[in-house]
Amino acid sequence: MIKSMTGYGKCSEEINKREYQIEIKSVNHRYLDISIKLPRQLNYLEGQIKKAISTKIKRGKIDVFFTFENYSEEGKEIKIDKDLARRYIKEMKQLAFEENISSDINIVEVFKLPDVLNIKNVPEDDLIKQETMTVLDKAINQLLEMRTNEGNKIAEDLLRRIEHIEAEILKISEKSTGLIQEYVVKLEGRIKEIMQTEEIDKSRIAQEVVIYADKSSIEEEITRLKSHVIQFKDLLQSNEAVGKKLDFIIQEMNRETNTIGSKSNCLEITNSVINMKTELEDIREQIQNIE
């Protein structure tokens, strides 16, 4: 079924003392636009995250918020700058000798001196990438579930409206079949009134009828409208991104409806055209929410 472009997904997990939280929000957009806020140490994952999202989502403004905390001892390296520590000790002993003060030096205090003791996080790129993709996939699926549920509601509304249009097309089709005969009767009546005679040039009437039929025929428009309705219903059942296609079909249906309205002098057909245009406008607004 079709999907809405509006949705929200969130997943929080702790894996091996690493905490991940990913939030994904999506709203309407003409194209796919992905914005990601990552912790600085995970900037290298931006490309993979965008690729993972774009394989499942085709349209919408997507905002991704990522928080990450690493409490694991894995990947942490303790490094002591021994040469620098020795220089500190040497200078402190020299100072103690020159100032004639105690030269007792506590090694723990030496470690507190600048740049002697460093704890570095060794990159765990592959492991963190794998864990991130696991959490991301769950957040995306949650987002897709919401977009699908919303899409189902939109599809139900669109189907109801397109069926209303289909009913109006049927009314127009039925009414149009008798328009030419009605025109013949009216034409004969006007000629009799003008000429005050029962004698009528049938060939002249036939010519007028042909001209009228050519100018006022709406059979082609009705045929195309029926075809568009079938296409529209089929697309509502699609699992692909069909928002742009539906929008194009509605534009074409609106064009055919306008043509019918301009050709027809029948009040019933005009009323049906008004009803169709109202439904088409409501459908067009709804389609802006579809992926």
Side-chain angles (χ1 to χ4, degrees):
M1 297 292 289
I2 62 174
K3 297 182 181 68
S4 167
M5 281 191 283
T6 303
Y8 175 80
K10 179 180 179 180
C11 183
S12 300
E13 283 197 13
E14 180 179 330
I15 306 174
N16 299 323
K17 295 185 178 181
R18 286 180 287 273
E19 293 182 359
Y20 299 85
Q21 178 173 291
I22 298 178
E23 292 182 76
I24 306 180
K25 298 179 181 179
S26 69
V27 294
N28 299 354
H29 198 272
R30 189 173 181 182
Y31 305 106
L32 179 61
D33 182 13
I34 303 174
S35 176
I36 305 174
K37 293 185 178 180
L38 281 167
R40 185 177 57 82
Q41 68 268 36
L42 299 184
N43 280 339
Y44 68 95
L45 291 175
E46 183 173 352
Q48 286 90 340
I49 292 174
K50 284 187 175 181
K51 183 178 180 180
I53 293 173
S54 62
T55 57
K56 294 186 176 183
I57 298 174
K58 303 305 177 185
R59 285 182 71 198
K61 175 69 173 68
I62 312 297
D63 290 308
V64 182
F65 304 93
F66 194 134
T67 58
F68 172 73
E69 295 291 343
N70 189 354
Y71 300 108
S72 173
E73 296 301 320
E74 297 178 26
K76 292 185 177 180
E77 181 181 274
I78 298 176
K79 186 172 181 60
I80 299 174
D81 191 332
K82 296 179 181 179
D83 290 336
L84 181 61
R86 290 189 183 99
R87 290 176 58 189
Y88 274 126
I89 293 170
K90 180 180 178 181
E91 292 297 329
M92 286 189 291
K93 284 184 176 181
Q94 181 65 33
L95 180 62
F97 175 76
E98 293 175 356
E99 300 297 329
N100 194 25
I101 57 178
S102 173
S103 62
D104 294 336
I105 299 174
N106 189 321
I107 192 62
V108 175
E109 296 301 322
V110 174
F111 288 154
K112 294 179 182 180
L113 295 171
D115 300 324
V116 174
L117 179 64
N118 294 287
I119 300 177
K120 295 184 178 180
N121 289 321
V122 178
E124 304 167 275
D125 293 1
D126 291 339
L127 180 59
I128 291 177
K129 175 185 174 182
Q130 180 181 353
E131 293 172 350
T132 295
M133 292 301 117
T134 298
V135 178
L136 176 65
D137 192 55
K138 292 179 180 179
I140 293 175
N141 288 339
Q142 194 178 104
L143 171 71
L144 291 176
E145 182 179 357
M146 182 176 290
R147 285 164 63 112
T148 300
N149 291 338
E150 183 67 22
N152 289 338
K153 295 177 183 178
I154 295 174
E156 291 174 4
D157 181 70
L158 292 179
L159 182 60
R160 177 177 58 83
R161 294 183 185 279
I162 204 69
E163 286 177 346
H164 287 172
I165 291 174
E166 193 172 23
E168 295 294 347
I169 294 172
L170 181 59
K171 290 180 185 178
I172 292 174
S173 180
E174 291 173 349
K175 188 63 182 176
S176 67
T177 57
L179 289 180
I180 294 178
Q181 186 57 41
E182 288 180 11
Y183 177 73
V184 171
V185 173
K186 290 179 181 180
L187 183 60
E188 288 180 345
R190 286 200 298 270
I191 292 174
K192 287 178 181 179
E193 183 179 345
I194 293 171
M195 299 182 67
Q196 298 294 320
T197 178
E198 295 296 323
E199 297 294 330
I200 299 175
D201 186 350
K202 296 295 183 180
S203 63
R204 179 59 179 169
I205 289 179
Q207 289 178 359
E208 290 292 335
V209 170
V210 169
I211 294 172
Y212 172 81
D214 183 59
K215 289 183 177 180
S216 62
S217 175
I218 56 175
E219 292 307 311
E220 289 186 9
E221 287 79 8
I222 291 173
T223 299
R224 285 193 287 266
L225 279 172
K226 289 179 178 179
S227 175
H228 292 328
V229 167
I230 294 172
Q231 289 178 295
F232 192 95
K233 287 183 175 181
D234 288 343
L235 287 173
L236 287 181
Q237 303 300 319
S238 175
N239 290 321
E240 299 178 356
V242 296
K244 291 181 180 179
K245 292 181 180 179
L246 290 173
D247 189 42
F248 175 76
I249 290 175
I250 290 303
Q251 290 180 39
E252 292 301 306
M253 291 182 71
N254 197 55
R255 185 177 294 110
E256 303 296 347
T257 302
N258 285 336
T259 302
I260 290 174
S262 65
K263 285 185 176 183
S264 174
N265 293 318
C266 174
L267 179 60
E268 290 87 344
I269 292 180
T270 299
N271 288 336
S272 289
V273 166
I274 292 172
N275 293 337
M276 289 171 62
K277 286 180 67 65
T278 300
E279 292 288 8
L280 286 169
E281 179 60 25
D282 289 338
I283 290 175
R284 190 191 66 79
E285 291 180 2
Q286 283 279 50
I287 285 175
Q288 306 311 311
N289 299 318
I290 295 176
E291 181 181 38

